[in-house]
Amino acid sequence: MKLALDHLVVAAADLDSGTRHVAGLLGIAPTGGGAHPRMGTHNRVLGMAGGVYLEVIAIDPGAPAPQRPRWFGLDQAAMRARLAEGPFLAHWAARVEAPADLSAWQARHPDRIAPAIPMTRGDLRWRLTVPDDGSLPAWREAGATAGDGLLPTLIQWDVDAYPGVSLPPQPLALVALAGTHPRAALLRQGLAWLGAEHLITVEQADGAPCLRATIETPQGIKTLV
């Protein structure tokens, strides 16, 4: 199955700091968005060229605590510590498009793909893969694990007017998505199995994993990390 790049995920301790972070780099602020009742989070969004968009996501302080761990590792101590240092490009999502069906694919490979749970935000409806513990997705093989935001979450929209087509595209274009990881070969194996290897370049490097997006803006090329 060949996937499409759906959106970039900038995690933040709060929406205002995440919005300032993106606006300061790209020159345009994310707006709109809304609440995710099932996860106790909320977001702001920014349309880009080519049907790709960016979201800033944070825990919603006005929402009740969800009945399950929040997505993207937002409840985990390591993520909380990282967010205390400031907003960052934490993750990305790859889109499954009809006639392929994400729920059926996940049911065939529950050892490889996290549960596909139904989500809503306003009139939007979609399914998205989230591990039961809320962690970022990971690829496992022979006792080794690699993920750390570089392996995509899978999403399938159940409405025609999803953000990639409904958001007004701003003068921003994703040039490249890339990352470094100490277990890059394992990650590339997972990306190939998913059909996402053409969407991101992953290189071997020691140290903390890093995801970066190279974006063309009216002020020139910028790198979001």
Side-chain angles (χ1 to χ4, degrees):
M1 189 178 299
K2 192 172 184 178
L3 303 176
L5 202 156
D6 191 75
H7 67 277
L8 307 176
V9 180
V10 173
D14 61 84
L15 285 187
D16 287 343
S17 65
T19 299
R20 289 193 298 270
H21 177 72
V22 172
L25 180 69
L26 304 183
I28 304 172
T31 59
H36 310 110
R38 186 166 185 174
M39 289 292 171
T41 59
H42 55 176
N43 72 352
R44 291 177 185 159
V45 291
L46 180 62
M48 302 169 65
V52 176
Y53 73 100
L54 179 152
E55 76 165 339
V56 173
I57 193 164
I59 292 174
D60 184 350
Q67 298 300 307
R68 52 154 296 142
R70 294 179 178 91
W71 50 11
F72 306 143
L74 290 174
D75 286 326
Q76 297 177 350
M79 177 63 81
R80 297 287 184 96
R82 176 64 182 82
L83 290 177
E85 301 174 6
F88 72 109
L89 179 61
H91 194 37
W92 62 290
R95 188 172 64 251
V96 175
E97 296 181 300
D101 183 87
L102 174 57
S103 299
W105 188 23
Q106 190 278 330
R108 290 195 300 270
H109 304 284
D111 57 330
R112 291 299 195 190
I113 303 174
I117 63 174
M119 292 293 302
T120 63
R121 175 169 68 79
D123 293 334
L124 293 173
R125 292 180 290 107
W126 69 98
R127 286 161 287 153
L128 184 125
T129 56
V130 185
D132 291 335
D133 64 358
S135 60
L136 291 166
W139 188 257
R140 296 173 176 84
E141 195 71 47
T145 302
D148 305 288
L150 278 73
L151 193 76
T153 285
L154 305 181
I155 187 169
Q156 185 157 41
W157 293 97
D158 293 319
V159 295
D160 293 331
Y162 60 89
V165 298
S166 63
L167 287 173
Q170 302 298 325
L172 303 168
L174 180 65
V175 177
L177 185 64
T180 56
H181 197 282
R183 292 181 293 280
L186 181 60
L187 264 177
R188 288 194 292 265
Q189 178 185 338
L191 290 164
W193 188 91
L194 291 170
E197 71 274 23
H198 62 296
L199 301 176
I200 183 172
T201 301
V202 179
E203 299 294 341
Q204 176 72 29
D206 294 332
C210 179
L211 180 65
R212 63 185 184 275
T214 303
I215 299 172
E216 184 177 358
T217 81
Q219 292 77 41
I221 297 293
K222 306 291 183 179
T223 302
L224 178 64
V225 295

